[in-house]
Amino acid sequence: MGLKDYDNKIIHGLKAGYESSYKELFKEYYVLLSAYANKYVNDPEEAREIVQDLFVHLFEIRDSLIITTSLKSYLFRSVRNRCLNHLKQIQGQERNLENFKPQEASGSDSEEKIMETELEYRIYKIVSQLPEQCRKIFLMSRVEGKRNREIAQTLNLSIRTVETQISKALKILRNYLQDYLKS
Amino acid sequence: MKKNSEHMTDEGRIVRFLTRDFTESEKEDLEIWMNEDPENRKSFEETKKIWDHSANIKDFQSNDKIEDWLKVKRRINFERSKYPGHPLLKENMIRFLRAAAVIIILLGIGILARQYIFRQPEMILVSTGDFKKEIILPDGSQVFLNKYSKFKYPERFQKNRRQVDLTGEGYFDVTEDPDKLFRININSHAIVEVLGTSFNLKSHSADGSVDIHVISGKVSFFTPDTKANKTILTKGEQAFLRKGAISVTESKDTNFLSWKTGILNFNDERIENVLEELTTFYNKKFKLKNTCENDIRLTSRFDNQKLESVLEEIKLVLKLDYTLDADTIIFYFR
């Protein structure tokens, strides 16, 4: 099934109000969109709520839903607008509204954020499929921010092994991510 | 990718740098290595990009929550959407309604089950009025009802018989089923039983008369009084019930199905009989006046013709004139 067919199928389901379609959309995009939103609002909790709101909104307006672009860019754009509105609200609460111009502030910036988010999402996906020990060490290093020595001690391994596993992870990632690394 | 150090792979070199586990000499070594070949630099930059971004995957880990779907689902409430128009109902109101709905459905199932399992099936009553009507019965039998007829049949037949009621006129094409007798009650004073055949049945509630013409198969015809002595009719036979008595003749009437086919056939038929047929067919009164001859006969075929064209034809063939007012047609000699 081509991307377009997939989009059409999902959009049809969304318009019809099928729970299965909303669930599929959620599975496919929730994590990605939440991370994207977080790049704007810098608050993971808030970011997830913004995306949840979008899903509810999609359902509420399903009868009049028109998507002319791809489903993906529609979703990214919607999330971005919601984030900017959210920021505007916060700024409004801080009585600082005059200088805020979201439309000008975004543009290529949003493109870059989408690219980053997608790259990171791909990394996340690939890492979750790395061999057990390799994944564990890589996550300890990158997510927990541990030094190689600490990792070696915790797992009772040599520092050299830790280095080897990290470079193995990076090599695999670089291999799989060639399309995302251009530019 | 080129190697210029025998004890270190390219990735190893980069990893040392990225993980800040490098000595000053190793850092210089990396600089030299990158300057050696643009490919090396590219390799380093790509790896560093991955390295930097991979710190952010914790966002994804914390976002990967299928339980958030439940939050969304609760807010959307897909079930409710099937009955749109009351978004203001409170959650517990909906819960109450849901419970109530379950009870009602269960009750409904109970009632239906009682109706279906313990009770006789629902009877369907068809009253044709100004229109003819075709009905397909639950067993596939076909009934073609004439105007101003009434027909009653069950939504499903019982196990061992097919029972229907008729008032007026109907053509029956009964699906053959040797295990299930097909039984027609006519104004509850005559009964027709068949296994599978086609026939035309006509009753007049005014005088209680019944005419039956058998087209194919075998039919038994009787009244509640003659149950013990049923009249059996076969293909091409007709029977009349008049004043409680049944008489059988060979079917000469070629027009008993005219109400259904729209075709009237007359083969050297006396004008009185022709006019009688026309009376029923066109629902008009026909009269004959001033005729000295008493044996005028017509041979003709009218196929779904309008009354006017039939009248004109009779006028021409039999050299009769006619007058036509609202309901009555009078034929007379010129």
Side-chain angles (χ1 to χ4, degrees), chain B residues 39-208:
Chain B
E39 272 300 307
N40 290 351
R41 187 168 289 280
K42 186 174 165 247
S43 174
F44 171 78
E45 278 166 0
E46 285 182 358
T47 309
K48 186 170 187 303
K49 192 174 178 184
I50 292 170
W51 180 258
D52 291 342
H53 282 288
S54 61
N56 287 336
I57 65 176
K58 62 173 179 292
D59 284 354
F60 293 88
Q61 283 179 314
S62 62
N63 289 338
D64 212 341
K65 288 180 169 168
I66 193 64
E67 61 261 33
D68 281 3
W69 163 245
L70 298 177
K71 284 187 199 166
V72 172
K73 195 179 157 180
R74 213 175 300 128
R75 286 174 65 192
I76 290 183
N77 204 342
F78 288 99
E79 282 105 300
R80 191 176 61 187
S81 74
K82 288 167 197 155
Y83 312 99
H86 48 81
L88 294 175
L89 284 181
K90 291 272 184 296
E91 193 106 332
N92 42 2
M93 184 62 180
I94 289 159
R95 218 167 282 157
F96 168 77
L97 285 176
R98 216 179 273 167
V102 168
I103 291 167
I104 289 166
I105 288 166
L106 286 175
L107 273 173
I109 290 170
I111 289 165
L112 279 176
R114 249 183 78 169
Q115 277 201 343
Y116 269 81
I117 299 165
F118 304 114
R119 292 205 181 159
Q120 296 226 325
E122 198 93 355
M123 296 302 283
I124 297 164
L125 182 67
V126 181
S127 201
T128 53
D130 280 335
F131 301 96
K132 296 168 192 172
K133 191 167 180 168
E134 190 183 359
I135 299 167
I136 306 290
L137 300 181
D139 64 337
S141 296
Q142 199 180 18
V143 183
F144 203 93
L145 294 171
N146 203 349
K147 296 175 183 179
Y148 316 113
S149 299
K150 281 180 186 159
F151 185 66
K152 199 160 89 175
Y153 65 101
E155 58 190 342
R156 64 191 163 84
F157 286 121
Q158 285 170 322
K159 255 187 185 163
N160 47 5
R161 65 182 170 143
R162 300 172 278 177
Q163 171 94 44
V164 299
D165 290 2
L166 173 76
T167 308
E169 185 167 18
Y171 163 84
F172 289 79
D173 192 347
V174 176
T175 305
E176 196 167 344
D177 186 349
D179 300 330
K180 271 189 190 180
L181 204 60
F182 192 100
R183 187 182 165 122
I184 306 162
N185 272 318
I186 304 124
N187 305 333
S188 66
H189 67 262
I191 298 140
V192 171
E193 281 180 353
V194 301
L195 290 175
T197 146
S198 56
F199 52 92
N200 192 69
L201 196 53
K202 185 179 183 178
S203 70
H204 306 272
S205 33
D207 59 359

